[in-house]
Amino acid sequence: MIERTVYECEHCHKKRLVSKYAMRDHEKECFYNPDSKSCIMCENFIQDNSDIERGCLMKQDLRFKLKTNCLYWKQKEINEEEF
Ligand SMILES: [Zn+2]
């Protein structure tokens, strides 16, 4: 039996990789990393509970794909529980 170290993404806590370097690359582009300026962490992102309908207030297009480094990206407001 071989024991191995696995690296977990500190932003999404879902992704796990054996390679530290691959994880470093993932974290840079992770949708849950605010620095990646991606839709999920954006104020303009709209998502209903079904998880299917989503869109961007800036684009008014519900068929769009999640992206990173968006020009319209705006930091989502912090959860009320943290106040
Ligand atoms: Zn991640």
Side-chain angles (χ1 to χ4, degrees):
M1 192 186 293
I2 303 167
E3 193 177 312
R4 290 201 187 269
T5 302
V6 173
Y7 296 91
E8 181 182 288
C9 175
E10 65 178 71
H11 304 291
C12 65
H13 299 282
K14 282 178 188 162
K15 188 98 174 171
R16 291 192 184 118
L17 295 169
V18 174
S19 161
K20 196 177 192 173
Y21 305 100
M23 181 49 75
R24 201 174 284 164
D25 287 345
H26 165 80
E27 285 192 339
K28 265 186 248 162
E29 296 183 338
C30 181
F31 284 154
Y32 292 89
N33 177 1
D35 291 340
S36 76
K37 299 189 175 178
S38 68
C39 297
I40 288 176
M41 300 303 284
C42 178
E43 182 76 34
N44 295 317
F45 182 60
I46 321 154
Q47 188 168 30
D48 74 5
N49 294 329
S50 71
D51 227 43
I52 296 162
E53 280 222 355
R54 59 191 184 194
C56 177
L57 276 178
M58 305 308 287
K59 295 209 156 183
Q60 303 288 327
D61 180 5
L62 292 176
R63 294 161 304 160
F64 93 126
K65 281 188 170 178
L66 292 174
K67 59 186 276 184
T68 53
N69 287 312
C70 181
L71 276 177
Y72 303 116
W73 191 84
K74 199 178 150 200
Q75 172 82 59
K76 206 179 204 174
E77 270 184 51
I78 300 160
N79 217 326
E80 284 172 32
E81 290 164 3
E82 291 183 30
F83 284 103

